[in-house]
Amino acid sequence: SLAGKMKEEELLIMEDLSLAGNINSSDMATIRKMATEGKLKVLDLSNATLKADGNVRTDNTIGDNAFAGTKLEVVKLPATVTKMGTGVFSGAAVKYVKLPAALTVMGGSCFNGCPNLNEMEFPATLKEIPYYTCINTPVFAKVTLHNGLEKIGEAAFARSFGENSQNMMTELTIPETVKEIGNAAFVGTRIKTLTIPASVTSVGRTAFDYCTQLTDVVFEGTLTSLPRRIFCNCSSLESIRFPKGLKVIEDEALYFTSILDLVIPEGVEEIGKSACERTGIRSITLPATLRKIGDNAFAWHGTMGTCKTIVLPAGVEEIGRRPFLGCEFTALDCRMTTPPALSAELFSSGFDYSK
């Protein structure tokens, strides 16, 4: 074992370590001690092989929290590793980690709270980036995802919610093999443009909330629902190409954006509560298929936008409370022949009856 080859005091002063051959859980425990109690910062295990023993049941597996909270800055993992447990580098000082090309399974929170990690490439063998993978990594700037990836888990790359916290990721290419993007997956990133490929069939709520640098969004495929708060607080967002087959724009989906010319596509039947509240709209086009407009759906856009007229399609059956609150409309064209279900506060502070 590693501990048997050198004295402890010698191990604890080492800053750079390279190992080859078979290593086990005892060796991993020694490495951990060197990187917590000692000075170890650089670790190269690329030519080593992890073997099962009494503490690790399978070969080529890195256990839970193996390097969590350590001083390690640069790590190359064994090329043969196929599985990583949860929280492997959580809270560590790592700046760079080379993940093995053979990796197929990774536990959640592997790089949670790594304050110095600024770049990560995930191998093509990995089908899922699990929950909280790189959450709370404030200088995280670049992520490379490969075709073969199918799922991006909940809050995988989300920023923390502390004061002035936002991760530095400015570019994102979602592979054309991804099928699912989890809740809050990219909250608070600094991506500027976004293309969601046709392979994606599920996007979670708040997936891109607080992406304040995002300006343009393109959906290439089909989604029946634009999830709750998906682009909420994306204050620079000016353009969106909606997905095909869209039927519902959920609550606060486009809240506090800067979309100028909002064209809701045909097929949409419902616009949720505050879905387009506090936007910079200068024109609104609603589809003939629209049936329901939720509370505060377009409220307060007059504080930023210039839209003065709106046409309500003939098929609208229900209009919620204060959908135009604070808007500076001068004309409202209602095409309905059958009066819809109306709130008593339909035009509360939102329509100039004198014009």
Side-chain angles (χ1 to χ4, degrees), residues 3 31 72-73 87 155 185 187 199 203 216 238 310 324 330 340:
I31 292 170
L72 288 170
E73 295 181 358
V187 165
S199 58
V203 181
D216 297 280
E238 295 183 350
I310 187 169
F324 310 116
T330 58

Side-chain angles (χ1 to χ4, degrees), residues 69-352:
T70 63
K71 301 171 186 175
L72 288 170
E73 295 181 358
V74 177
V75 180
K76 295 181 180 180
L77 297 175
T80 55
V81 164
T82 58
K83 182 179 179 180
M84 293 171 58
T86 60
V88 171
F89 289 95
S90 180
V94 287
K95 298 178 181 178
Y96 172 79
V97 176
K98 182 174 176 58
L99 295 177
L103 187 66
T104 57
V105 177
M106 183 168 64
S109 299
C110 270
F111 300 97
N112 180 356
C114 295
N116 304 315
L117 185 65
N118 58 19
E119 182 176 349
M120 179 61 63
E121 179 174 359
F122 294 90
T125 50
L126 200 61
K127 299 293 184 185
E128 177 181 353
I129 296 175
Y131 64 92
Y132 299 168
T133 295
C134 292
I135 193 173
N136 300 341
T137 52
V139 299
F140 196 76
K142 182 180 180 182
V143 58
T144 303
L145 308 174
H146 291 284
N147 279 332
L149 182 67
E150 296 181 358
K151 180 179 178 180
I152 300 171
E154 180 174 352
F157 298 100
R159 68 158 170 84
S160 64
F161 286 88
E163 184 178 359
N164 298 322
S165 60
Q166 187 173 46
N167 83 24
M168 303 296 290
M169 187 194 302
T170 58
E171 296 181 10
L172 173 65
T173 300
I174 299 175
E176 295 181 353
T177 52
V178 170
K179 299 176 182 178
E180 181 179 349
I181 299 172
N183 295 339
F186 296 95
V187 165
T189 60
R190 295 188 180 183
I191 55 174
K192 297 178 180 178
T193 61
L194 174 66
T195 297
I196 297 180
S199 58
V200 174
T201 57
S202 175
V203 181
R205 55 185 171 79
T206 72
F208 300 94
D209 197 347
Y210 280 101
C211 291
T212 58
Q213 307 299 311
L214 184 62
T215 61
D216 297 280
V217 173
V218 173
F219 285 89
E220 294 185 331
T222 300
L223 285 176
T224 57
S225 176
L226 199 65
R228 182 177 181 270
R229 295 180 64 95
I230 181 173
F231 299 116
C232 185
N233 298 300
C234 293
S235 54
S236 300
L237 182 61
E238 295 183 350
S239 173
I240 180 170
R241 185 205 294 175
F242 289 100
K244 302 178 184 70
L246 188 64
K247 292 184 179 299
V248 178
I249 298 176
E250 294 187 13
D251 298 353
E252 299 179 303
L254 300 172
Y255 180 95
F256 197 26
T257 60
S258 295
I259 297 174
L260 301 178
D261 299 298
L262 181 63
V263 180
I264 306 295
E266 291 296 327
V268 171
E269 298 175 358
E270 180 178 346
I271 299 173
K273 295 178 181 179
S274 300
C276 303
E277 184 175 348
R278 295 186 183 276
T279 60
I281 297 173
R282 63 189 178 193
S283 67
I284 304 172
T285 302
L286 301 177
T289 52
L290 188 62
R291 298 292 179 265
K292 181 179 179 180
I293 299 174
D295 298 350
N296 291 78
F298 299 97
W300 295 112
H301 85 252
T303 59
M304 293 179 286
T306 58
C307 185
K308 299 297 182 182
T309 64
I310 187 169
V311 177
L312 298 180
V316 172
E317 299 171 351
E318 181 180 346
I319 301 177
R321 298 171 61 244
R322 300 174 296 181
F324 310 116
L325 175 66
C327 299
E328 297 178 356
F329 292 136
T330 58
L332 181 67
D333 185 352
C334 297
R335 302 290 176 85
M336 297 85 77
T337 55
T338 301
L342 298 175
S343 162
E345 299 177 271
L346 176 62
F347 299 116
S348 177
S349 302
F351 188 74
D352 186 349

Side-chain angles (χ1 to χ4, degrees), residues 23 49-53 56-62 80-83:
I23 59 176
T49 302
L50 282 167
K51 304 299 290 185
D53 57 21
V56 179
R57 295 182 179 180
T58 56
D59 291 344
N60 302 315
T61 298
I62 297 177
T80 55
V81 164
T82 58
K83 182 179 179 180

